Amino acid sequence: MSEQLTEHPGTAAVVLAAGRSTRFRSATPKVLHRAAGRSLLGHVLGALAPLGLERVLVVVAPDAQDVEAEVAAWDAQLRAPVTTVVQLEQRGTGDALDVAMAALPDSITRVLVLPGDTPLLRPETLASLLAVDPSVPLGMLTTVLDDPFGYGRVLRDGEGQVLEVVEERDADASQRRIREINAGMYVLDRAVVAPIVAALGSDNAQGERYLTDVVAALARDGAGHGVAVDAPSHEIAGVNDRAQLADAAAVLRRRHLERLMRAGVSIIDPAHTYVDVDVAIGEESVLLPGTILEGATSVGVGAVVGPSSHLTDCIVGDGAIVHSTRADGATIGTDVEVGPFAHLRPGTRLEAGVRVGAFVQTKNATVGEGAKVPHLAYVGDAEVGAGANIACGVVTVNYDGREKHRTTIGEGAFIGCGTMLVAPVTVGDRAFVGAGSTITEDVPPEALAIARARQVTKEGRAAGRLG
Ligand code: UD1
Ligand code: MG
């Protein structure tokens, strides 16, 4: 989370997220669709986090339990309490704000209003909106677009005072030529605006209660004009369909890669590197092309990841090398070397200096310091002691068709090539298992175990067989 910008006691944010979002064509509410590792709503809440608000209220549709769950998940990350309020019928943005106003505690005197689908918004821009003189009843973010189609247009008088916002569908031809648009983000004086919002009608082209009608009401009633604050146009874009979702995700990723590069991470080809916004990476680390880092992943200092490594919810230690690897829920220790072509599944823990090589799969397994699994092995539901050597083709036979069982391999043990370790089974410290063994019984420390049929050699018997 970025550092705190300002403190705003008495100010609440209201996030409008009850809309129907039909253009998304999805059973999942639009605001829960993800871009660069966070939901759209999560990006908006993340932009609020550094502002120091007193509370955050999200307006949701009825039966949106998954949206409520997402809001609850953000509670710990926002310094303000975040709650939801249900808008029973989607009767427009003004109606949504009306519902929210009624749900805010009395201590709230100022309200920051945002849509839930604008993931590119930065805290700095919201701070500039909050910097509007609190004696002004309404501040709004506006911007000038080459193609203002679809947005509400900002009408001003001869002196430049904001008079009104006219929606696309209610605008006449000359109003449609106005290129200054309403971003749909406001800061409001609650005492002045709440009664106006409560009185909003729905006499317009969409039959909705427009929040934007507050602007005209203020100008008309002499309560003071709204004040427009210029916003960077690329930050206010809403995500209305999946093409815009992909565009927004690309911008979010690019911003995060730039932050990382400025903080000392080398990214060889940013156009082909995909790093979620919550992934932290230490200085002097290098990301090679084709790398995807997702979720709660972190990478230490001086690590090398890629080419084409795909890590989800992984911790990568300092100096580790993770070549062409798929890993999910794995902890990769300091100076570990993984890959190419390894698959680390959830519950994998590789201690410092471990080597896991090509075509090795691990799952729910701890591999102790300095141990080696260099090639073609499966290590699942296992404990491998420090310094052990698991040779080529070893399999922990963990599943009997009904249950999973554990394999324990002691420190410094040597498991020869092609060995099947039929779990539950333990191989003691510094024990040695001969190549090609099928081990079904425990091997004591420092013992030598060989479990394979004796070789039969019949002199001359192959003569003539191979033509
Ligand atoms: C709104 C503005 C428009 C502005 C544009 C910027 C109004 C009337 N118009 O239009 O001037 O240019 O945003 O993007 O406000 N929502 C609810 N409940 C509802 C309706 C909407 O919670 O009943 C939420 C939506 O989920 C969305 C936000 O309010 O997050 C904005 O609603 P939307 O329908 O997208 O408004 P626009 O038509 O885009
Ligand atoms: Mg919209």
Side-chain angles (χ1 to χ4, degrees), residues 16-20 23 30-31 59 87 89-96 114-118 150-153 165-167 181-184 186 206 208-212 236 238 240:
L16 307 181
R20 278 182 294 264
R23 280 170 286 178
K30 172 171 83 171
V31 291
V59 182
Q87 184 191 17
E89 275 180 78
Q90 280 51 76
R91 292 165 54 202
T93 50
D95 187 70
L114 307 172
D117 64 352
T118 49
Y151 287 97
R153 309 298 206 285
V165 173
V166 181
E167 294 306 297
I181 63 101
N182 166 33
Y186 320 86
Q206 300 182 74
E208 289 186 355
R209 300 180 70 204
Y210 287 167
L211 165 48
T212 43
I236 58 101
N240 295 310

Side-chain angles (χ1 to χ4, degrees), residues 238-258:
V239 171
N240 295 310
D241 58 34
R242 293 176 201 236
Q244 290 173 339
L245 180 70
D247 289 346
V251 172
L252 290 162
R253 280 198 304 268
R254 178 74 207 189
R255 275 188 196 168
H256 189 49
L257 293 180
E258 270 169 29

